[in-house]
Amino acid sequence: MSICFDSRRRQRGDMMLEALVGVLITSIIGAGLAHVMAQVMNSQRDAKVENLMVERLRDSLHGHGVSLCGSDTLEISLPNGEARNAVISCEPATATLAMAGVTRTVEAPQRVDLKVAATDLGNKGAGEDDPDLLVSTRQ
């Protein structure tokens, strides 16, 4: 009698358990990769919004400059239709020059700062302690 044909007594399900463990490990790796990919996509979106905001703030500073000092906020619109508010702060600058016994006070151009709070950028997980996005004429 041959033992090759006695399949009921010899099969114990070892192959099925190995296959089940293999599928389980593969699914855990797939779930981990999906989580990492979601985090990367969120970071990429946040960086894109920040870069776009910096571009818009620089364009406003370049186009309007010191004339922005007449208001407290500047509304920046994003391509998706959302709007963010930038806080405008202006600081006059004066310098005192002395040469050959003559002292003069000179008015320097105003410093214009445009700030957007980190929480207003829409970043995932941004808190009140995160630094604001600042674009200034003195950078």
Side-chain angles (χ1 to χ4, degrees):
M1 179 184 256
S2 175
I3 60 170
C4 292
F5 296 107
D6 195 10
S7 61
R8 292 182 187 201
R9 225 176 59 187
R10 293 284 179 195
Q11 284 185 348
R12 295 190 177 107
D14 292 343
M15 285 286 272
M16 291 298 286
L17 284 175
E18 288 177 8
L20 181 64
V21 168
V23 168
L24 180 66
I25 290 172
T26 304
S27 63
I28 289 172
I29 290 172
L33 287 175
H35 176 70
V36 167
M37 195 63 179
Q39 295 296 326
V40 166
M41 289 177 71
N42 282 336
S43 297
Q44 184 178 10
R45 180 202 165 277
D46 293 345
K48 185 176 181 180
V49 168
E50 286 179 11
N51 286 335
L52 185 61
M53 188 62 74
V54 166
E55 193 176 294
R56 299 280 167 95
L57 292 174
R58 284 183 179 165
D59 185 49
S60 295
L61 275 178
H62 181 71
H64 303 290
V66 180
S67 65
L68 290 171
C69 293
S71 63
D72 293 335
T73 60
L74 173 68
E75 187 174 296
I76 303 292
S77 61
L78 297 176
N80 62 357
E82 295 179 17
R84 303 283 192 257
N85 288 326
V87 177
I88 301 171
S89 62
C90 298
E91 180 182 316
T94 58
T96 304
L97 300 174
M99 181 183 282
V102 178
T103 303
R104 300 273 185 207
T105 302
V106 179
E107 294 288 326
Q110 283 188 340
R111 182 173 112 189
V112 181
D113 295 336
L114 299 176
K115 263 188 212 179
V116 178
T119 54
D120 287 345
L121 288 174
N123 292 350
K124 305 276 187 206
E128 294 294 326
D129 296 336
D130 291 344
D132 297 336
L133 178 66
L134 172 68
V135 176
S136 176
T137 54
R138 299 251 175 112
Q139 287 181 335

